[in-house]
Amino acid sequence: MTAGQFLLIKLLIATIISAVSTKLLIPELKKLKAGQAIREDGPQGHLAKAGTPTMGGIAMIFATAVVTAVFEFKSVEAWVMIGVTLAFGIIGFLDDFIKVVKKNNLGLKAWQKAGLQLVVSLLIAWYRSTVSTAVWIPFVNKTVNFSQGWYIAFITFMVLAMTNSVNLTDGLDGLCSSVTCVVAAALGYICVLAGANASSTLLAALAGACVGFLFFNANPAKVFMGDTGSLALGGALAAAAIFSDLSLLLPIMGIIYVAEALSVIIQVVVFQTCHGKRFFRMAPLHHHFELGGWSEKKVVKVFSTITGVICFIVMIVYEFGRGA
């Protein structure tokens, strides 16, 4: 059995676990009355989604953790990556729980949420810096070794940026799970070529967890992942990229995440400096296209296709460049 085939088996197992777990979780979320609150200033078509169960990301985290733990039981790196995924998932869960169960629309205070994310990011950056400070530079096939201080600063920023960018992408039925499935599967394959077994397993499990969740999250969604899921997905992707020394590949392969985050930054800057004018119809970017007449399904299809093309190009370049 080839490494690629073994990767596919892990993905399929995670898919089954995620699908079954999500199906079992939905009734429990309904009992908790964990229904999603919809922002009134958002697209009017989204108001009908109010009350749809959220926090479904619990099932995705469970599937990812179980498969990774089973196949990489002896790997310290795997357990650390699982810990990072769980840590960000818990931060998201606390925010979701306060919003939808305690009926406090503010959730965690901004400084609480940012502070918790910063602590986790610093911890993973520090831990990895004790093992390696190497970062591979894409397309020029060079590895740069940072000083420990600069490495910790770089990795901390990267983790924070990725988790929040993935979080911003979770705004349409199936969007975040579809894009993340593609990124995780492609990066997982590259990790196989790089010999980063623990990272490849986590990413295969993550991709499968997204596929299983999509059975219930695709339009029209029966459940949302919430911050519980989106923060965990971002944390898992970042951890896997870091532990394979492929940190700089992630923003390239996750170009949609980057575009979503940049759209919010641009919108805020333009609004504040141009006396209330807006650059986009609405931010994040997926809402801009939605208000331009695109259906949710079209936005998801286009964004996922763009992700797939970029990831395919990166895989080819890596395999015939460094990986060959």
Side-chain angles (χ1 to χ4, degrees):
M1 182 182 297
T2 66
Q5 291 172 329
F6 197 34
L7 197 72
L8 183 59
I9 288 175
K10 297 171 185 176
L11 189 153
L12 291 174
I13 294 174
T15 299
I16 294 171
I17 294 175
S18 178
V20 172
S21 299
T22 304
K23 184 175 180 61
L24 295 174
L25 181 62
I26 291 174
E28 300 304 316
L29 293 174
K30 289 181 177 179
K31 289 179 184 177
L32 284 174
K33 297 182 179 179
Q36 179 70 48
I38 305 298
R39 50 187 282 198
E40 294 183 0
D41 60 339
Q44 293 302 298
H46 287 213
L47 295 178
K49 300 180 182 184
T52 301
T54 188
M55 298 195 293
I58 294 171
M60 305 171 75
I61 296 171
F62 176 70
T64 302
V66 168
V67 172
T68 304
V70 168
F71 284 97
E72 299 291 340
F73 183 77
K74 296 181 179 180
S75 170
V76 175
E77 287 189 356
W79 285 105
V80 173
M81 289 188 285
I82 291 172
V84 172
T85 304
L86 288 173
F88 277 106
I90 290 171
I91 295 171
F93 175 82
L94 290 173
D95 195 40
D96 286 334
F97 188 83
I98 293 171
K99 287 178 182 177
V100 303
V101 178
K102 295 298 183 179
K103 306 304 179 184
N104 184 337
N105 290 333
L106 295 177
L108 286 174
K109 295 179 180 178
W111 68 267
Q112 293 174 323
K113 193 172 183 179
L116 290 170
Q117 289 179 324
L118 178 60
V119 170
V120 177
S121 300
L122 281 170
L123 284 174
I124 184 177
W126 170 80
Y127 176 83
R128 184 57 181 171
S129 73
T130 64
V131 179
S132 170
T133 58
V135 176
W136 181 68
I137 309 299
F139 309 119
V140 298
N141 197 18
K142 290 184 179 180
T143 300
V144 175
N145 283 292
F146 288 78
S147 67
Q148 187 178 32
W150 279 110
Y151 183 82
I152 290 174
F154 165 70
I155 293 299
T156 299
F157 171 78
M158 180 260 185
V159 176
L160 288 172
M162 183 51 56
T163 52
N164 285 286
S165 295
V166 174
N167 181 240
L168 289 170
T169 306
D170 182 34
L172 299 179
D173 294 356
L175 177 59
C176 188
S177 41
S178 295
V179 171
T180 301
C181 173
V182 176
V183 173
L187 186 58
Y189 176 74
I190 292 176
C191 285
V192 169
L193 298 178
N197 296 328
S199 289
S200 68
T201 296
L202 180 83
L203 290 165
L206 189 68
C210 289
V211 174
F213 187 70
L214 267 170
F215 288 126
F216 305 91
N217 183 236
N219 186 271
K222 298 179 180 66
V223 64
F224 299 137
M225 68 175 69
D227 282 5
T228 304
S230 58
L231 289 180
L233 294 185
L237 286 173
I242 290 166
F243 278 86
S244 55
D245 295 331
L246 299 172
S247 303
L248 292 180
L249 276 185
L250 193 52
I252 299 172
M253 302 175 79
I255 187 66
I256 292 299
Y257 304 139
V258 175
E260 295 273 27
L262 285 177
S263 70
V264 173
I265 294 171
I266 292 171
Q267 187 83 325
V268 172
V269 171
V270 171
F271 186 83
Q272 292 183 346
T273 58
C274 297
H275 309 290
K277 292 184 179 179
R278 289 177 170 80
F279 187 85
F280 298 101
R281 299 183 187 96
M282 183 179 290
L285 189 61
H286 52 262
H287 288 321
H288 171 78
F289 289 102
E290 191 179 10
L291 292 182
W294 287 21
S295 66
E296 286 193 52
K297 290 182 178 179
K298 182 175 181 179
V299 175
V300 173
K301 182 178 180 179
V302 172
F303 281 25
S304 299
T305 300
I306 291 172
T307 301
V309 171
I310 296 295
C311 286
F312 180 75
I313 292 172
V314 171
M315 285 192 295
I316 295 298
V317 171
Y318 187 90
E319 185 165 8
F320 289 98
R322 187 190 188 201

